């Protein structure tokens, strides 16, 4: 189930910090700017909301991390989740299956970044788009959601990760709120 907060400017950071686990509060406070703290806290609170609604869990989740840094909830290995945030939105997806999610705001990009992250077909899609920044970030969120699903993180094979046929990726564009998010799950449980 998807949980979304697109009202981060109205988010009460002081109140939110009091609702976080000590672990997450420390992580939020490591952000240099207040907006980073807000988005980090907002994403965690979405997870708390999802855990309560989907599983009746009310305790503050504590994370441990897999080999490549993918978080999981201590004591609940059967619950899968993923968090992401940008200036415009925080998102969380909670599931009984592995999941990856990414949210980003369209922004300018360089030709070198386009060449490094996109294959030739994807580069053509971006260059031929009426809105290249939106086309780029749409593809980027798809790639990052997939890599977060697998737990690999950004790697040297990012240009071709969307060639996989064993995943479903759904992408949503909110042009008014200026963000794009993608959710990725395996087609069948591995």
């Amino acid at each position: 189930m998807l949980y979304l907060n697109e009202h981060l400017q109205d988010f009460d950071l002081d109140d939110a910090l009091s609702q976080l686990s000590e672990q997450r509060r420390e992580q939020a406070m490591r952000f240099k700017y207040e907006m980073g703290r807000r988005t980090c806290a907002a994403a965690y609170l979405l997870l708390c909301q999802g855990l309560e609604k989907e599983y009746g869990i009310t305790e503050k989740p504590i994370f441990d991390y897999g080999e490549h840094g993918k978080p999981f909830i201590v004591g609940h290995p059967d619950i899968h989740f993923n968090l992401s945030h940008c200036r415009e939105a925080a998102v969380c997806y909670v599931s009984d299956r592995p999941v990856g999610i990414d949210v980003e705001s369209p922004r300018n990009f360089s030709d070198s970044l386009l060449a490094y992250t996109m294959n030739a077909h994807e580069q053509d899609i971006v260059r031929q788009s009426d809105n290249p920044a939106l086309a780029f970030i749409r593809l980027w969120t798809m790639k990052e959601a997939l890599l977060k699903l697998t737990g690999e993180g950004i790697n040297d094979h990012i240009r071709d990760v969307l060639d996989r046929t064993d995943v479903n990726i759904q992408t949503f564009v909110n042009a008014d709120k200026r963000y794009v998010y993608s959710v990725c799950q395996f087609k069948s449980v591995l």
Side-chain angles (χ1 to χ4, degrees):
M1 177 71 72
L2 176 78
Y3 295 87
L4 168 72
N5 182 342
E6 57 185 15
H7 303 286
L8 299 175
Q9 298 301 331
D10 303 327
F11 188 76
D12 185 340
L13 180 59
D14 291 330
D15 181 53
L17 289 172
S18 70
Q19 297 178 53
L20 306 183
S21 69
E22 182 178 336
Q23 178 192 47
R24 189 64 173 194
R25 189 171 30 261
E26 288 173 3
Q27 185 177 7
M29 295 310 291
R30 283 195 291 266
F31 281 87
K32 183 176 180 179
Y33 298 106
E34 182 178 322
M35 184 51 77
R37 294 175 185 156
R38 283 175 182 265
T39 58
C40 180
Y44 181 86
L45 291 177
L46 290 172
L47 174 61
C48 293
Q49 178 184 351
L51 292 174
E52 183 171 0
K53 184 174 181 183
E54 305 296 320
Y55 299 96
I57 297 171
T58 57
E59 70 260 10
K60 298 172 185 174
I62 304 298
F63 302 153
D64 203 351
Y65 298 89
E67 178 183 351
H68 300 287
K70 185 173 182 171
F72 61 91
I73 301 169
V74 173
H76 297 282
D78 55 328
I79 300 174
H80 300 273
F81 75 97
N82 208 230
L83 307 172
S84 186
H85 46 82
C86 65
R87 288 189 66 81
E88 285 73 23
V91 293
C92 173
Y93 203 93
V94 178
S95 179
D96 59 354
R97 300 180 342 167
V99 62
I101 192 166
D102 186 47
V103 63
E104 301 284 344
S105 305
R107 58 185 176 275
N108 293 329
F109 57 90
S110 65
D111 286 337
S112 62
L113 181 62
L114 181 65
Y116 179 75
T117 60
M118 305 291 165
N119 63 34
H121 174 69
E122 294 163 348
Q123 290 178 46
D124 287 344
I125 290 171
V126 171
R127 288 189 179 112
Q128 294 172 12
S129 172
D130 291 339
N131 188 337
L134 185 61
F136 176 84
I137 213 65
R138 182 180 168 277
L139 289 165
W140 176 262
T141 63
M142 294 169 70
K143 290 174 183 255
E144 192 164 340
L146 190 154
L147 292 171
K148 289 173 75 176
L149 166 69
T150 63
E152 296 173 71
I154 305 302
N155 61 46
D156 292 336
H157 306 290
I158 194 163
R159 294 180 74 209
D160 299 312
V161 298
L162 295 180
D163 292 343
R164 293 181 67 142
T165 59
D166 62 337
V167 296
N168 286 323
I169 303 174
Q170 296 179 321
T171 301
F172 304 89
V173 177
N174 188 325
D176 293 341
K177 300 285 186 175
R178 299 190 27 83
Y179 64 84
V180 175
Y181 69 86
S182 293
V183 178
C184 185
Q185 288 190 299
F186 292 109
K187 287 182 179 176
S188 61
V189 177
L190 296 178

